[in-house]
Amino acid sequence: MPNIKGSVKNIRTEKNTCMNCTKKERSMLKELSYNELETLENNRLVVDYQRGEVICKEGTMPIGLLCLNEGKVKITRKAHNGIEQIVSLKKPVNFINLRDVINDEPYKTSAVSLDDSSVCVIVQDNFLKVINHNPDLSLKIIHSLAKELDEADTRFANMTQKHLHARLADALLLIYDMYGTLSDGKTLNCTMKRAELAAMSNMTTANVIRTLSGFEKEKLVRLIKKQIKIIDIKRMKQASNAS
């Protein structure tokens, strides 16, 4: 059984199994056989996390394959100067730590819950057993990791080469694309602190506050307490592409 240190109180009994999980239709596991899913189900745990709780910590060893079942998660990394950077976002049913599990090495990043979330913890050996006998799944994993690397390269280039307003526009569009909006079709379906937006944009919190204020004056966004409403998505995309 995976070792979930410090989170035992949050482990819950889950009636759904890998075999009958409807969410796997949005996962690279959707074409696995019943027996393969049964292997993944063996000793699987479901762990609940509240907003702000650390799911896995940079520098520690994997406790198993982490599949986000419910909620939203940010993937962070400490820069050399100690400042936290948000390198990616996760939604159901993304894997949180796929690369580290495959390489069997310490986490290169940390994962922190952005709101109340639940994570399925699949025993590492069970997952490796399945992929070792399933070349189609292995190929999907290679493609997935290659895509993540390409996206990371693009984000790094944008955060170092674009002006501040374009960086923040990129961050808002990433949240928009990842989590969508509320029923009004404009309010981002994810509440992020200004410091978190700064960590996504390679900006200071003060610069984020000033740039958001500028966006509001330009009628690109409307700020309602902690929520951000993108008024004009077309113009926001133009702001992202501005040099």
Side-chain angles (χ1 to χ4, degrees), residues 73-139:
V73 168
K74 63 179 180 180
I75 305 300
T76 70
R77 171 176 287 170
K78 290 285 187 181
H80 293 301
N81 57 7
I83 296 176
E84 178 188 273
Q85 296 177 329
I86 297 178
V87 296
S88 67
L89 301 174
K90 299 291 183 180
K91 64 180 180 180
V93 283
N94 292 160
F95 293 129
I96 293 174
N97 62 335
L98 182 59
R99 178 185 58 184
D100 305 306
V101 166
I102 291 175
N103 290 335
D104 193 25
E105 60 185 17
Y107 293 122
K108 297 294 188 297
T109 55
S110 298
V112 181
S113 183
L114 282 168
D115 60 10
D116 292 347
S117 303
S118 69
V119 174
C120 291
V121 185
I122 298 171
V123 175
Q124 184 173 358
D125 288 345
N126 291 346
F127 178 66
L128 294 177
K129 179 180 178 181
V130 169
I131 64 175
N132 284 335
H133 292 84
N134 189 323
D136 289 338
L137 178 58
S138 299
L139 187 59

Side-chain angles (χ1 to χ4, degrees), residues 193-235:
K193 300 175 182 177
R194 301 302 188 253
E196 290 173 325
L197 290 174
M200 288 182 65
S201 313
N202 194 27
M203 298 168 63
T204 65
T205 302
N207 279 335
V208 165
I209 293 171
R210 282 194 293 269
T211 306
L212 275 177
S213 179
F215 281 173
E216 190 167 36
K217 290 178 181 178
E218 296 171 24
K219 300 189 183 304
L220 278 176
V221 303
R222 182 175 300 157
L223 307 178
I224 308 171
K225 295 183 179 180
K226 294 183 180 181
Q227 292 184 318
I228 299 175
K229 178 182 292 188
I230 299 180
I231 298 174
D232 192 329
I233 191 67
K234 182 178 179 180
R235 288 178 58 215

Side-chain angles (χ1 to χ4, degrees), residues 8-25:
V8 175
K9 65 181 181 187
N10 297 327
I11 298 174
R12 61 181 165 92
T13 302
E14 177 62 64
K15 294 181 180 180
N16 290 330
T17 67
C18 291
M19 293 81 80
N20 64 21
C21 177
T22 56
K23 295 178 182 177
K24 71 175 181 289
E25 294 304 313

